[in-house]
Amino acid sequence: MPRLFFALWPDDETRSRLAAAVESLPKLPGRLVPARNLHITLVFIGAVTAEQEQLLRTGADAIHAAAFELNLTQLGCWTHAAVAWLAPEATPPALLDLVARLQSVCREAGLAPDTRPHVPHLTLARKVRRVPAVNLAPIRWQINTFALVESAPGRTGSEYRPLAFWPLIPA
Ligand code: ATP
Ligand code: MG
């Protein structure tokens, strides 16, 4: 059964800017996430049946939520999870609204999504417990879509593949 999650998936231009920002940092310890895998998880789902996947897609078809912008300004890490991340200076209400709608879609598909408060972050590296203090040049990312993404084990860690995208409503 495929392992799925809903995510913000950077367009090529944003992905290049993110990769350039990572390269401009002092080298992070730990295991860097390859540029092709950079994303922000909205709702982690886990393994689903074909029927559940179809319910997720139909539920996503019915979402009418607003587009928004993220301004990634913070480099930080969580020692408990041992990940280094980029995060926005503030969480746009539209992002939390989208997460809540996606959690509902998951519940309607008979799945039990994580209901802890959502803290948006873009994981840059794993097995990291500290990051250098840097002045990060803010990275603006206009979010016009959300994606359903498949996670599959790869040779050097999980690899992610977007399966479908849905549009958000321009502000
Ligand atoms: P691996 O588990 O192989 O070390 P991974 O955590 O990146 O790698 P997945 O577990 O498939 O791969 O997770 C896919 C995405 O969902 C990642 O962004 C991950 O951080 C996030 N994620 C996984 N589990 C949860 C969870 N319980 N709650 C919130 N986000 C999660
Ligand atoms: Mg995991």
Side-chain angles (χ1 to χ4, degrees):
M1 296 202 296
R3 181 179 172 90
L4 304 185
F5 58 104
F6 285 113
L8 303 177
W9 191 257
D11 56 87
D12 291 347
E13 188 267 334
T14 304
R15 190 175 296 285
S16 301
R17 288 190 291 121
L18 288 166
V22 173
E23 280 186 15
S24 75
L25 296 172
K27 189 174 152 34
L28 292 169
R31 187 157 54 84
L32 272 190
V33 175
R36 65 180 179 279
N37 283 338
L38 294 171
H39 68 277
I40 292 181
T41 298
L42 293 169
V43 179
F44 179 74
I45 304 164
V48 298
T49 63
E51 189 188 349
Q52 284 169 327
E53 179 177 341
Q54 193 48 51
L55 288 170
L56 291 171
R57 287 172 180 258
T58 310
D61 287 344
I63 287 183
H64 297 279
F68 56 93
E69 186 184 72
L70 288 180
N71 189 20
L72 302 173
T73 56
Q74 313 294 318
L75 171 68
C77 74
W78 288 325
T79 50
H80 59 282
V83 297
W85 38 256
L86 293 178
E89 59 190 346
T91 302
L95 187 154
L96 295 178
D97 175 65
L98 177 59
V99 168
R101 287 169 196 246
L102 290 170
Q103 288 175 339
S104 297
V105 166
C106 291
R107 282 192 293 272
E108 281 159 22
L111 298 155
D114 191 347
T115 53
R116 288 174 301 176
H118 184 76
V119 183
H121 64 283
L122 187 147
T123 298
L124 295 181
R126 296 172 187 282
K127 302 195 193 314
V128 181
R129 289 205 160 69
R130 54 184 303 171
V131 289
V134 291
N135 270 327
L136 189 72
I139 303 159
R140 287 183 180 272
W141 177 10
Q142 176 61 38
I143 310 289
N144 295 321
T145 62
F146 67 91
L148 182 65
V149 183
E150 178 172 5
S151 170
R155 217 161 35 86
T156 56
S158 291
E159 292 289 338
Y160 314 120
R161 183 169 68 96
L163 301 177
F165 290 89
W166 288 266
L168 294 167
I169 301 164

